Amino acid sequence: MRKLSQTIVPLILVFSALVSVRPALADSAEPAQATTAQDQHSQNMKLLASLAKTGVTNSDIAFWGHLAYQGNYSGFRVIDISEPETPSVLADVDCGSGQGDVTVWGNILVRSVDYPMTERSCAGERSPDPTKPGQFEGVQVFDVSDPHDPQLVKLVDTDCGSHTNTLIPDLANGRLLIYVLSYFLLPGPNCGDGREANPLHAKFSIVSVPLSHPQDAAVVATPAIDADPFALDGLGPTIGCHDVGVFMPLHLAAVACLSEAQLWDISDPLHPTTLARIHNPDPGFEIWHSATWTWDGKYIVFGDESESGSCHGDQTEMDGRVWFYRLSDLLHGATSPVGSFLIPRDQGDEYCSAHMFNVVPVKDRYVLVSSWYGGGTDVIDFTDPTRATEIAYYDVESPNPGSFWAAYWYNGFIYGSDIPNGFDTFLFSGPQRAGAQRLDHLNPQTQEAYLR
């Protein structure tokens, strides 16, 4: 989501035969470059490399081995990060519309499509008439076994499309379960204006992707969501959730549902149950947007995407923050946060707000890596959640001012998705990173292991 007066791309614009996509291989004449002459940054943060992708909105990132998959509003890129200082694009896939959130498991990639497409193939474009029957919005399933030549194998329609998606591995049953998050703000072929039984939407979709036959992916459940309605000027109202962060060892999900947050028991992932509903601190959230966990499962971080924009160097501002909640409090009925954080650097007229983030997998310390749109990429120590502090940052100013959708720690480096510019590799050299564990893969909204 984005400031209304600017471009609220994730929220406001929300609106099976094997098919060959159109991958464009990276041009060897355009190697990854790091440009730092005009950038603002702390001494312990360095920009190592940048891979330009302009002319589209760059969105979320997922990782498998030495590959990063970066979504965008036209498709996604496959990026080799085996050498983080010299990443290279293996494929640039042109397929469909926004917003392009991606999750990956082995040779399977799932991509969110939240705008109706004119055709049910990669040749489709964003429809000028979103209510026209027969168009597609939902999730795309790709075979990425050849990272140079991904193939679209299935389109799965979901009501109100897919704004985001969260992957739950269900290996005992030979499948992936995909929580598809969506809501009605603008109409679609199966969304709003009487096209759904509940005009507020008030549900999410669960898609099953068989590991051995991903072309058989299908919706297997549509659980109801009980939350307060959410509306923006001239749009909605609706009931739905924006992001889900799951912690698999505890079978719990932290859920950002626009108007409130929730804690779900996902022991039976097809039938989640609500354990807690969390309403605004006073004053507090404008939009409950994002959620992640500490690696010991003790704390949840929720992000507020400010509709109006924040980060003016005034620490009395309460919107656009990340907020810290203790799990044991929520399980015992206490829903007050234990602390919050807003970057201290004044961003002037640039739109700034917390967005997508994850926690560094290091013992005995809590370190959060987060994107802040125009505020750049930030590193926050919240080992004491009541006194979270900024310990590093990088704010891209050249060659074009950056605006970061996502920033994630993965295997010793920070990778950023710069909305107008592309993909960046950062090195954070502070002592707080010491002992960080390596991972085989990372879907940032899916934490699969304890770190204790």
Side-chain angles (χ1 to χ4, degrees):
M1 295 178 291
R2 200 107 15 335
K3 183 178 178 182
L4 283 176
S5 61
Q6 201 153 334
T7 43
I8 202 164
V9 177
L11 179 61
I12 298 305
L13 297 184
V14 22
F15 313 111
S16 59
L18 188 71
V19 180
S20 177
V21 299
R22 305 186 294 279
L25 298 185
D27 186 345
S28 59
E30 297 183 7
Q33 307 247 338
T35 305
T36 61
Q38 302 172 35
D39 298 348
Q40 304 298 312
H41 60 94
S42 59
Q43 291 299 310
N44 55 3
M45 277 278 278
K46 180 180 180 181
L47 176 61
L48 298 180
S50 295
L51 285 172
K53 176 70 174 176
T54 58
V56 299
T57 295
N58 296 293
S59 58
D60 216 353
I61 315 173
F63 305 88
W64 194 272
H66 66 275
L67 298 177
Y69 298 86
Q70 183 190 27
N72 62 63
Y73 272 52
S74 296
F76 66 95
R77 293 197 292 176
V78 184
I79 300 171
D80 185 337
I81 56 171
S82 55
E83 298 292 339
E85 294 189 35
T86 55
S88 59
V89 177
L90 304 183
D92 191 346
V93 178
D94 180 8
C95 189
S97 192
Q99 70 176 25
D101 278 19
V102 289
T103 51
V104 63
W105 190 271
N107 293 328
I108 297 171
L109 180 138
V110 178
R111 178 178 178 271
S112 291
V113 176
D114 203 21
Y115 307 105
M117 291 169 51
T118 55
E119 296 184 33
R120 301 183 65 82
S121 73
C122 282
E125 298 178 353
R126 184 178 176 182
S127 173
D129 179 6
T131 64
K132 184 178 179 180
Q135 300 180 110
F136 170 73
E137 61 176 350
V139 293
Q140 302 168 322
V141 181
F142 287 85
D143 178 346
V144 291
S145 54
D146 180 354
H148 295 88
D149 189 22
Q151 298 291 311
L152 176 66
V153 297
K154 186 65 181 287
L155 302 174
V156 183
D157 296 87
T158 58
D159 292 346
C160 291
S162 174
H163 197 67
T164 66
N165 75 84
T166 294
L167 183 150
I168 296 177
D170 185 17
L171 306 186
N173 293 302
R175 64 184 179 180
L176 308 174
L177 295 177
I178 308 297
Y179 279 15
V180 176
L181 292 313
S182 59
Y183 33 83
F184 165 51
L185 288 174
L186 296 174
N190 299 296
C191 182
D193 295 342
R195 296 177 179 84
E196 293 184 275
N198 187 326
L200 294 177
H201 187 56
K203 65 184 177 184
F204 73 102
S205 299
I206 303 177
V207 172
S208 173
V209 184
L211 291 169
S212 58
H213 298 94
Q215 65 272 20
D216 294 333
V219 175
V220 292
T222 53
I225 294 172
D226 181 12
D228 294 334
F230 175 84
L232 290 172
D233 291 344
L235 298 170
T238 187
I239 294 175
C241 299
H242 185 280
D243 250 320
V244 173
V246 299
F247 194 78
M248 297 304 299
L250 292 176
H251 305 292
L252 293 175
V255 192
C257 290
L258 303 177
S259 59
E260 63 182 69
Q262 298 187 356
L263 179 67
W264 292 352
D265 181 340
I266 57 170
S267 300
D268 179 353
L270 294 180
H271 302 92
T273 58
T274 302
L275 301 178
R277 293 177 63 178
I278 310 159
H279 292 87
N280 278 345
D282 186 19
F285 281 70
E286 293 191 8
I287 300 169
W288 293 80
H289 178 276
S290 311
T292 196
W293 295 76
T294 57
W295 286 91
D296 57 7
K298 293 181 179 180
Y299 289 89
I300 300 169
V301 184
F302 284 109
D304 169 26
E305 185 170 46
S306 169
E307 178 186 345
S308 56
S310 189
C311 319
H312 298 118
D314 179 358
Q315 289 299 300
T316 64
E317 285 182 298
M318 301 310 292
D319 60 318
R321 291 173 171 260
V322 291
W323 294 79
F324 311 113
Y325 287 79
R326 186 180 291 112
L327 174 61
S328 59
D329 290 346
L330 300 179
L331 293 175
H332 290 91
T335 59
S336 295
V338 294
S340 68
F341 173 82
L342 178 68
I343 63 172
R345 295 168 285 110
D346 187 354
Q347 297 303 305
D349 293 334
E350 280 195 281
Y351 177 68
C352 179
S353 177
H355 203 228
M356 305 305 297
F357 41 72
N358 76 333
V359 175
V360 179
V362 61
K363 291 183 179 180
D364 303 322
R365 185 175 293 276
Y366 299 144
V367 178
L368 183 76
V369 172
S370 181
S371 59
W372 289 83
Y373 286 113
T377 296
D378 213 64
V379 184
I380 302 125
D381 189 328
F382 68 108
T383 305
D384 178 354
T386 68
R387 295 187 176 186
T389 58
E390 180 181 81
I391 56 175
Y393 69 92
Y394 203 105
D395 193 348
V396 171
E397 298 293 341
S398 59
N400 303 300
S403 181
F404 281 82
W405 180 294
Y408 299 124
W409 175 276
Y410 180 66
N411 290 348
F413 298 88
I414 294 171
Y415 297 97
S417 183
D418 187 329
I419 293 169
N421 293 326
F423 180 88
D424 292 333
T425 305
F426 300 98
L427 176 65
F428 164 55
S429 58
Q432 298 87 348
R433 57 165 283 155
Q437 297 197 8
R438 294 184 63 83
L439 304 171
D440 293 329
H441 59 274
L442 176 68
N443 291 293
Q445 286 74 48
T446 306
Q447 289 171 254
E448 300 172 48
Y450 263 124
L451 178 60
R452 293 186 281 191

